Amino acid sequence: MNKIKCECGHVNPEGTVLCEACGKPVEGNQHIDGNDQRKLLNMRYDGSARRSQTYNKSIVDKIWNFFSSVKVGVWLIVLALIASAIGTIFPQEQYIPADATSRAPSVFYEAQYGTIGQIYYQLGFHNLYGSWWYMLLIALIGVSLVICSIDRFVPLYKALRMQKPKRHTTFLKRQRLFSETEQVSADEKEKLVSGLKKQRYKVWEENGHVLAEKGRFSRWGPYVNHIGLILVLIAALLRMTTFMYIDDYVWVREGEQTVIPGTEGEYYIKNKDFILETYDENDERFKEAINKQGNVAKNYQTNAIIYKKKGDNVAGADPELEKVTEEKIRMNHPLKFDGYTLYQAGYQQNEFKSMTFKVHETDDPKETSLGSFTIDLTEPKDKYQLDDGFSVDVTQYYPDYELEEDEPASETPYPRNPAFVFTVHPPENEEPETSFVGIGKNIDATGENDYKLGIENFDTRYVSGLTVRRDYTLPLFIIGAAIFMIGVIQGMYWQHRRIWLHPKEEGIMVAGHTNKNWFGLKKDIEQVIADTNVNMVDDQLETD
């Protein structure tokens, strides 16, 4: 590594702009002002050597220099913000409405939003926060913040730690605030030091040279910001892992018990009862809405019981469960247990629970029942035996019937629009007959059937929609945000002020520098030199 020796004898590392010991500009190394002796010194990072400004040969140097650029960091953040904004145009995959025509992303976005929706899906914006390129973008922002901070923090820390009261006259004369007085008494010099201490400056003296400083800690505000942002980014990345963050959805039917998704089969929920309360149709506040869309929900809640599995799974056996809690889940009143939170997020009315069919003769206008049977739509049997000798086979069952390319299919496994293909076996070994029966459909497969099936009765039930969430990253987000705000306050409300007193024969030189609020620094100097013959500093920026 090349070294640069100053005339004061101090050896500076390569890339130094202002000598670490005396502050004299290094000849031929004025990256900042091009060696123009008339210009003020650029005091950013106190002229210390930065790695990104010194080395540019190896691939590591080039990568370091790329990510140490503030512009690169800002552009990465802008790209992340643009991507996040686009991700809010249409709902994310997990928020596709339950009543959508199809909840398959490949179908939903194109069907709902046309060509733009298809492009949105194909570019991966439907699952933005879980996409690899978005996570890579977040990681690159983190890399940029770390390198950018190290590249500036370390040299600045060394420069401020090593600064001495005695500075080269060139350093003082090229500060923004400067004055020179030819005759100053020893008492007046003492008054200056005393005044600085009264202004709560920390004072160092070296052979009559004085450095007064306060508010240095404000220089670390931006780096504290960076630490906070890095913690937030780490929390965002951890949010992609199921160990740290779960956001799932489960439908639970009245009376049904099911495993809670995301718990790896450890917890179960039972929908003991679902309650829906609506506003009175004569309520003036909601009359318009009720006339427009029907009933308006006032409250809907799930009376739930949470169970926890005991012991290990045994193949073929139902798990042994123990009750954890029993509570009501309402809007804005979630159920919390063992780190998980269940939110009441939706419901469905009138989902079919069971259907009763009767068999009658095709040509009987009164449709007199020859026998009936009831199908539990959650667990339908393959065969039903009727009392008077008939038997019915359930050949095909479509819980949520629809036609796909002229072929019957089920859109979901839930009995929202059940349809069946039945095979009816009449008594006395007559030829079996096939029928297709659904809501509003009763089709004779051959047109020659002697018997027909009809819906005699049905039961419906509510289905409760619950959001399952576990978030271990939230404390990290809060800590990161708090640290970020501390950095903002630290850098915004305090200033790093420095005043140098340089004895010169019978007189004195006064120079001052701050990172902000120059008016405040001038007021400090004005109070310090009051009742002395020391000239007030000139603002050389205004003079230029």
Side-chain angles (χ1 to χ4, degrees):
M1 178 185 296
N2 296 326
K3 299 290 184 181
I4 301 172
K5 188 173 183 179
C6 181
E7 66 180 25
C8 69
H10 182 77
V11 178
N12 299 285
E14 183 181 3
T16 301
V17 178
L18 302 176
C19 175
E20 295 173 339
C22 68
K24 182 185 177 184
V26 175
E27 293 293 334
N29 198 24
Q30 277 292 294
H31 302 300
I32 299 173
D33 63 7
N35 282 325
D36 189 341
Q37 299 296 321
R38 296 168 300 177
K39 288 187 176 181
L40 300 177
L41 292 179
N42 189 329
M43 293 290 287
R44 181 175 292 181
Y45 315 115
D46 272 37
S48 53
R50 287 170 53 200
R51 189 186 191 284
S52 61
Q53 303 294 320
T54 307
Y55 307 106
N56 193 25
K57 294 181 179 178
S58 68
I59 184 67
V60 175
D61 296 335
K62 295 182 186 300
I63 293 173
W64 182 278
N65 296 348
F66 177 78
F67 283 108
S68 68
S69 168
V70 173
K71 288 182 180 177
V72 170
V74 170
W75 270 111
L76 288 173
I77 293 173
V78 169
L79 289 175
L81 290 175
I82 292 173
S84 301
I86 294 174
T88 63
I89 294 176
F90 300 137
Q92 289 289 290
E93 179 180 359
Q94 63 268 37
Y95 300 117
I96 294 176
D99 57 352
T101 306
S102 173
R103 299 197 78 229
S106 57
V107 177
F108 170 76
Y109 289 98
E110 183 179 5
Q112 190 72 17
Y113 308 108
T115 304
I116 296 177
Q118 185 180 10
I119 296 172
Y120 188 85
Y121 165 72
Q122 290 180 336
L123 292 178
F125 284 102
H126 67 291
N127 186 27
L128 178 66
Y129 307 109
S131 61
W132 67 268
W133 59 268
Y134 188 80
M135 287 192 284
L136 179 62
L137 192 57
I138 297 297
L140 290 178
I141 293 173
V143 171
S144 175
L145 282 173
V146 170
I147 292 180
C148 194
S149 300
I150 294 174
D151 190 65
R152 289 160 176 78
F153 176 86
V154 174
L156 179 62
Y157 172 77
K158 289 181 179 177
L160 294 179
R161 187 172 60 87
M162 294 172 62
Q163 61 181 341
K164 297 178 180 178
K166 186 178 181 180
R167 286 295 192 180
H168 196 275
T169 55
T170 304
F171 175 86
L172 298 171
K173 289 179 179 178
R174 293 176 65 183
Q175 294 298 320
R176 177 172 167 177
L177 301 183
F178 177 75
S179 74
E180 186 172 4
T181 308
E182 296 298 333
Q183 292 290 331
V184 179
S185 67
D187 289 342
E188 288 175 322
K189 291 179 181 176
E190 286 298 322
K191 278 187 178 179
L192 294 179
V193 175
S194 175
L196 288 169
K197 291 180 179 177
K198 286 181 181 177
Q199 294 284 338
R200 298 183 179 177
Y201 280 84
K202 192 172 182 181
V203 176
W204 290 270
E205 295 188 65
E206 180 184 357
N207 299 325
H209 298 267
V210 174
L211 166 62
E213 180 185 38
K214 70 176 178 182
R216 184 193 293 187
F217 76 100
S218 70
R219 295 291 292 274
W220 313 128
Y223 307 103
V224 175
N225 289 155
H226 288 185
I227 293 172
L229 283 175
I230 289 169
L231 286 177
V232 169
L233 292 175
I234 291 173
L237 290 175
L238 290 175
R239 210 175 171 85
M240 311 295 180
T241 65
T242 55
F243 174 73
M244 297 296 291
Y245 182 75
I246 293 173
D247 186 3
D248 216 322
Y249 202 88
V250 60
W251 290 104
V252 193
R253 285 147 186 83
E254 278 185 306
E256 184 185 60
Q257 176 177 295
T258 186
V259 67
I260 299 175
T263 65
E264 298 181 349
E266 186 177 7
Y267 292 95
Y268 289 71
I269 181 172
K270 181 175 182 179
N271 184 349
K272 190 177 177 182
D273 192 17
F274 183 83
I275 297 172
L276 173 64
E277 297 173 318
T278 58
Y279 285 101
D280 191 318
E281 61 181 5
N282 296 319
D283 191 325
E284 291 297 330
R285 295 174 299 171
F286 305 100
K287 198 168 185 177
E288 185 178 348
I290 292 172
N291 291 334
K292 190 174 181 180
Q293 65 179 49
N295 291 330
V296 175
K298 180 180 181 182
N299 173 50
Y300 51 97
Q301 70 180 52
T302 304
N303 296 340
I305 304 175
I306 304 298
Y307 295 100
K308 184 177 182 180
K309 185 183 70 175
K310 293 174 62 178
D312 298 327
N313 287 330
V314 178
D318 293 331
E320 186 179 356
L321 304 176
E322 64 176 348
K323 184 176 176 181
V324 176
T325 184
E326 179 175 354
E327 291 188 33
K328 299 171 183 175
I329 309 174
R330 301 196 303 272
M331 290 291 291
N332 302 321
H333 293 83
L335 166 60
K336 297 181 180 180
F337 65 95
D338 295 352
Y340 296 93
T341 305
L342 296 179
Y343 297 90
Q344 184 67 61
Y347 65 92
Q348 291 181 358
Q349 301 183 74
N350 304 324
E351 182 179 284
F352 290 99
K353 180 181 180 183
S354 65
M355 300 183 83
T356 300
F357 297 88
K358 67 178 180 182
V359 180
H360 62 87
E361 293 179 346
T362 303
D363 56 1
D364 181 3
K366 295 182 180 180
E367 299 182 356
T368 304
S369 175
L370 302 177
S372 61
F373 60 100
T374 300
I375 298 179
D376 182 341
L377 297 178
T378 304
E379 296 179 350
K381 298 178 182 177
D382 295 333
K383 189 180 187 69
Y384 292 86
Q385 187 67 46
L386 281 59
D387 293 338
D388 50 2
F390 283 91
S391 66
V392 178
D393 293 342
V394 179
T395 307
Q396 293 290 339
Y397 171 38
Y398 306 99
D400 195 1
Y401 168 76
E402 66 170 6
L403 274 178
E404 285 186 358
E405 299 178 354
D406 296 330
E407 292 291 332
S410 182
E411 183 181 2
T412 71
Y414 308 115
R416 296 167 180 162
N417 182 28
F420 303 86
V421 175
F422 290 122
T423 301
V424 179
H425 297 272
E428 300 176 356
N429 295 322
E430 295 180 29
E431 282 293 318
E433 299 176 354
T434 301
S435 299
F436 179 82
V437 183
I439 306 297
K441 307 173 187 65
N442 197 328
I443 301 172
D444 179 350
T446 61
E448 298 177 353
N449 287 350
D450 294 327
Y451 301 99
K452 195 172 183 180
L453 286 156
I455 299 174
E456 190 173 60
N457 199 0
F458 59 83
D459 289 330
T460 60
R461 60 184 172 184
Y462 285 108
V463 185
S464 179
L466 302 170
T467 296
V468 184
R469 191 165 293 163
R470 184 183 67 184
D471 191 356
Y472 290 151
T473 65
L474 193 57
L476 201 54
F477 273 114
I478 294 173
I479 293 172
I483 292 176
F484 178 83
M485 288 309 300
I486 290 172
V488 170
I489 295 170
Q490 186 177 344
M492 183 174 292
Y493 292 100
W494 282 271
Q495 306 91 42
H496 181 212
R497 298 178 179 178
R498 282 177 287 178
I499 299 172
W500 292 273
L501 303 180
H502 184 93
K504 182 184 177 185
E505 299 175 351
E506 300 299 322
I508 193 170
M509 289 181 179
V510 179
H513 180 269
T514 182
N515 60 333
K516 63 178 70 172
N517 191 9
W518 291 89
F519 177 79
L521 178 59
K522 283 191 280 188
K523 292 294 289 182
D524 284 355
I525 296 175
E526 192 175 53
Q527 292 179 22
V528 168
I529 65 174
D531 301 326
T532 69
N533 291 321
V534 177
N535 295 328
M536 180 57 187
V537 293
D538 294 323
D539 190 335
Q540 302 191 96
L541 184 65
E542 295 176 357
T543 304
D544 289 346

